[in-house]
Amino acid sequence: MKRVAMVLGAVLLTAGPAMADEKASADEAVKVNAILSAWGCEGGRIEKESEAGGVFEVDDAKCKDGGQYDFRISKDFKLQVIVSD
């Protein structure tokens, strides 16, 4: 049983970095922020999802309506989803 737990732990540790999110480049951040601005929103944490083919996610953007939203934007900078927090 101990051996199984050790193997599982090793697999999880090696799989983690492969699924890590990347930081958006300065140019990408400008384009993502332009989309947020068009929706009356700003801020939030921008991440480039490496396991989703370069899709961008913005967590906790604050919008003029007083709400806080998460955005999902395609790699070619088209809005896919807005979710209310």
Side-chain angles (χ1 to χ4, degrees):
M1 185 68 160
K2 223 180 215 186
R3 190 176 298 172
V4 172
M6 288 175 36
V7 170
L8 181 58
V11 169
L12 291 175
L13 286 175
T14 57
M19 295 175 53
D21 297 331
E22 303 171 18
K23 184 175 180 183
S25 71
D27 184 50
E28 292 167 335
V30 166
K31 292 175 182 178
V32 169
N33 282 320
I35 293 169
L36 296 177
S37 180
W39 283 87
C41 304
E42 62 183 3
R45 186 177 68 245
I46 302 172
E47 295 179 337
K48 186 175 183 179
E49 298 289 326
S50 57
E51 73 273 5
V55 171
F56 296 92
E57 288 189 351
V58 181
D59 294 324
D60 304 326
K62 292 184 170 80
C63 298
K64 290 181 181 178
D65 69 358
Q68 193 168 325
Y69 300 91
D70 293 343
F71 286 72
R72 184 170 171 97
I73 300 166
S74 69
K75 65 182 178 183
D76 55 345
F77 301 100
K78 293 188 169 65
L79 181 62
Q80 293 179 325
V81 178
I82 302 174
V83 178
S84 174
D85 274 351

